[in-house]
Each structure stands twice: as C-alpha cells, then as structure tokens.
Amino acid sequence: MSNTCIQHLDLQKNHINNDGGSALAKGLSRNRSLLSIDLMSQGKTRWGDKTLDDFLEMFQHNITLLKINWRLESRKSFALNKMITRNNEIDRRRKLNMHFDDLLPASLRPAPADGGAAEPIHQLPAGKGGDEPMFDCPEEGKENYPAPMLQSSREPSPGILGGIPSSPASPMTAPLNSRPPSHDMH
C-alpha cells in the first residue's frame, strides 16, 4: 500500500548515499502525493550520474513532485530542473482545468484503443480537476507533516531546483537570489 497523504518530506542531514538516493528515486516513481522533498546536507555524499539517472527515470512516471531542495554538482541538474518545471506546468494547467496531455511523459500517455488519436486525459486521476488534489487523503489522515525547512534569504543559494514560493512577500519563502523590496524614499 502506498502513502497518499504526505505532501512535504524533509530528509535533510540523513546522510543518504548513492544507493539510498537511487532507492528513493525508484520509490518516488510510484508516488502520487508528495509535492516537495528536501534533500539538503547529505554529508559528504556527492550523488553520481547513476543516482541522478534514476531521478530522471522517476520523472518518466511521476508528474506530481513539484520541488526538490538539494545541491547538485552535475550536468544532469539542467535535465532534472526541466522535469520539475514540466511538473509545475502540469500542476498549473490542472488547477485551471486545462489540457496537459502534451506535457505527459510517454509512459503516462493514453494509448488509442482503435489505432486512431488518443483520447485526451487532461485530468488525472479521472474526475479530479480544479484545486482538488490528484490523490485521495481521508480527512483524519491529514496530519501536519513538517514542510522542508526554508533557509533565510541572507544565505547563499543552495541550488534549489523547481518550485514556486508560496508567498513572495515573506523573506523565508522568497527565492534565495531575490532582493528584498526597496524602502528608499526619494
């Protein structure tokens, strides 16, 4: 049975190595509820190409993960950022009840039954749309799990990939490379 309630997972400082990262990516490929995950400060581990390839493969099945907070020193970071951007666009279109079939990875595109054009599936799962989540979570299971810790805007950027801050006015949720509003009076 898979979890359908946790939306934000903080795994900072867990010393997750390459094998653990690969296992995490494989598990996330089946997940449909997690929106963000924080993987900062994994000790001295520098995830290799094999682990990052597993995350890229995960995105061929997962269209709900919107943000990964991690530091990468790899050329694969561009491709991973592209997948997170895709997921955010799918989420945006879904909330506006717009078609997003053109963004789906091949593994999630419907196959035409009669050999003709595929039937559009702009809502996943069927019947969901608007602001409803793409998963079902019973009300009694909606505990408040800790969201990933946000870093102060005064700290250098850790290489966050994807995600959209929830409140640009808040210094703890603004993009780390943004400037605070000017208070100069001219």
Side-chain angles (χ1 to χ4, degrees):
M1 175 162 196
S2 65
N3 182 295
T4 59
C5 295
I6 296 176
Q7 295 180 4
H8 307 282
L9 185 59
D10 186 344
L11 294 177
Q12 289 185 73
K13 300 179 184 177
N14 275 281
H15 302 280
I16 299 172
N17 62 18
N18 280 287
D19 291 337
S22 289
L24 180 62
K26 289 173 184 168
L28 288 172
S29 71
R30 295 182 307 273
N31 184 281
R32 299 292 175 261
S33 65
L34 196 65
L35 302 176
S36 69
I37 187 167
D38 193 333
L39 297 170
M40 288 296 292
S41 303
Q42 296 304 320
K44 295 182 181 184
T45 298
R46 180 174 174 237
W47 287 353
D49 286 346
K50 167 72 172 84
T51 300
L52 299 180
D53 282 338
D54 289 337
F55 273 92
L56 285 169
E57 175 61 26
M58 175 268 301
F59 280 112
Q60 297 307 310
H61 308 280
N62 183 313
I63 59 169
T64 57
L65 186 61
L66 304 176
K67 180 179 180 181
I68 302 177
N69 187 14
W70 56 5
R71 180 183 304 269
L72 294 180
E73 297 174 16
S74 171
R75 293 181 184 188
K76 295 188 185 284
S77 63
F78 178 77
L80 288 160
N81 191 37
K82 191 174 174 181
M83 296 294 98
I84 291 171
T85 301
R86 178 207 65 196
N87 283 4
N88 277 279
E89 179 61 14
I90 289 171
D91 185 61
R92 183 189 73 80
R93 289 186 190 183
R94 184 188 62 81
K95 287 178 179 175
L96 295 173
N97 205 22
M98 296 171 56
H99 290 275
F100 54 79
D101 302 272
D102 57 315
L103 298 175
L104 290 175
S107 65
L108 297 179
R109 289 189 183 166
D114 61 357
E119 188 70 30
I121 58 162
H122 69 281
Q123 298 173 349
L124 289 177
K128 298 286 184 185
D131 287 327
E132 297 176 42
M134 293 180 75
F135 52 89
D136 294 315
C137 184
E139 287 299 319
E140 66 273 3
K142 288 187 176 181
E143 291 90 10
N144 289 322
Y145 296 96
M149 293 177 58
L150 299 172
Q151 296 181 339
S152 168
S153 61
R154 294 182 192 100
E155 296 180 19
S157 173
I160 293 175
L161 295 180
I164 300 171
S166 58
S167 171
S170 169
M172 293 303 287
T173 59
L176 297 178
N177 60 355
S178 69
R179 293 181 149 176
S182 175
H183 297 289
D184 295 337
M185 302 294 270
H186 294 295

